[in-house]
Amino acid sequence: MTVGSAPGAVSKGRPARRVLLVDLDDTLYRVHKIPEIVKERIQEYMVKKLGIPQEEVAAKTTEYYLTYGTTLAGLVAAGYRIDYDDWHEFVHQGALDYDTLLQPDPSLRDILCSIDLPKYILTNANRVHTERALARLGLSDCFQGLFYFENVMELAASHGFDTAHGVLCKPNPRIYQLVAEQLGVGLSEVIFFDDSVRNVASAHGLGALTVLVGTDKPCPGADLALPTMHALPAAMPELMDQPGLVHEHHHTHAPAAAVEQQGGGVLAVPAAARGTSGGGGGIAIAVPAARVPAS
C-alpha cells in the first residue's frame, strides 16, 4: 500500500493513515430532495408530537441544529422527552422513498474498493436509514463497520455520557475520540470525510486529516476539499491500490488485532484488541449485511 511510504501532497509529513471515517448523507451521495423532506418532517414532528407552536419551529430547528449539532440533540437538551425510534421512523425511513431517491453508484463503489484501508461510516442518522441508504447505493460491503445513532449512544453511555439527558453526535469532539478509541487508532491516523464544515473542523482540531465533501473551495479545518467523493482518486492518489482489494479481504484489514464475530452481523471490538487507546468493554459495531442535516 502506498499510503505512508509515498505520501501525496496532502498527507506529506503526517503520520501514516490507517482508517477512513466517512459520513453518509450529502457525502457519499447528494440528493437535494432528501434534506428538504427530512427538514419538513422534523418540523412536522415538533408540531404534532411535541406540541411546539408552528410559528416557533423554524427558529427552534435552526437554533438547536447550530447549537447542538442536530435538532434532535437540541430538543433533548431542552428537556423534551423523545422516543428515538419513533423520531427516526417519522423523520427518515417513514418519509423517504429510498428506491426512488437513491440509485446504485458503481463508480464510487470501485473507488472505495480500490482503497486498501479499513473504512467505517460515522453518521448522526440511525441504523435503518444508514443500512437502507448504503444498500441502495450498492456500497454496503465497502465498509468494515458502521457507527450510527444507536451504537454511538451505547458507546457514549459505556463511557459515562448521560444519554438519558443528552445526545452525542457530530460535531461534539467526544464522538471522534470514542470512535477512534473503539477502532484502536489515534485520530492522527484517521482520514475523516464529511460535508459539514463544523464537523470537519472539529475532527481536524483533534488531529484527523480532514476532507470536506461538496465543494472545491478549502476552508479552515479542512485539509482538502472535494466536489464529490468521485474526485478522490485524482486528489489523493496515494490512497488508491488495486481494485477489489478491500472487498476480497473484507475482515483482514480491521485495525484491531482481534475481532469477535457475534450473531446478527455485528462485530464487537474487545478492549484488549484496542492497544493503548483505552476504553472499557467492547461495543457493538454493525457490519453491513446488505446524517441527514438538522436531524
Side-chain angles (χ1 to χ4, degrees), residues 127-197:
R127 178 185 64 82
V128 174
H129 172 75
T130 302
E131 292 181 348
R132 284 191 183 180
L134 288 173
R136 281 299 299 160
L137 294 168
L139 305 178
S140 295
D141 61 350
C142 294
F143 295 92
Q144 280 62 53
L146 313 175
F147 290 93
Y148 43 70
F149 180 85
E150 292 93 336
N151 60 7
V152 165
M153 290 288 277
E154 291 174 7
L155 185 60
S158 73
H159 286 73
F161 185 89
D162 183 7
T163 54
H165 301 93
V167 170
L168 182 64
C169 61
K170 298 179 289 184
N172 188 322
R174 189 66 177 134
I175 193 171
Y176 306 110
Q177 294 167 334
L178 290 179
V179 167
E181 289 175 7
Q182 189 63 33
L183 296 177
V185 298
L187 277 161
S188 63
E189 300 171 296
V190 171
I191 307 176
F192 177 60
F193 299 79
D194 202 295
D195 66 286
S196 166
V197 171

Side-chain angles (χ1 to χ4, degrees), residues 27 52 61 88 121 131 138 142 144 154 166 169 188 203 209 216 221 224 231 244 280 285-286:
T27 297
I52 299 173
T61 298
H88 289 296
I121 291 291
E131 292 181 348
C142 294
Q144 280 62 53
E154 291 174 7
C169 61
S188 63
L209 191 154
D216 56 3
L224 184 67
I285 303 174

Side-chain angles (χ1 to χ4, degrees), residues 37-48:
I37 293 171
V38 169
K39 184 176 180 179
E40 290 175 2
R41 293 288 283 190
I42 286 173
Q43 295 186 355
E44 185 178 351
Y45 190 101
M46 292 167 69
V47 173
K48 290 184 175 180

Side-chain angles (χ1 to χ4, degrees), residues 1-6 17 20 114-117 236-242 245-246 253:
M1 184 64 197
T2 56
V3 174
S5 58
R17 302 296 160 167
L20 271 64
S114 296
I115 301 173
D116 186 23
L117 287 174
M236 300 184 74
E238 68 272 19
L239 287 180
M240 299 300 117
D241 210 289
Q242 297 183 14
L245 205 57
V246 171
H253 295 284

Side-chain angles (χ1 to χ4, degrees), residues 192-277:
F192 177 60
F193 299 79
D194 202 295
D195 66 286
S196 166
V197 171
R198 61 183 183 163
N199 291 353
V200 164
S202 179
H204 186 272
L206 296 172
L209 191 154
T210 52
V211 182
L212 180 65
V213 181
T215 179
D216 56 3
K217 298 179 181 179
C219 67
D223 294 291
L224 184 67
L226 302 177
T228 72
M229 290 290 288
H230 298 85
L232 186 58
M236 300 184 74
E238 68 272 19
L239 287 180
M240 299 300 117
D241 210 289
Q242 297 183 14
L245 205 57
V246 171
H247 179 65
E248 292 168 4
H249 302 285
H250 189 66
H251 295 302
T252 61
H253 295 284
V259 179
E260 297 178 351
Q261 181 69 45
Q262 297 182 334
V266 172
L267 295 181
V269 183
R274 296 199 296 268
T276 59
S277 295

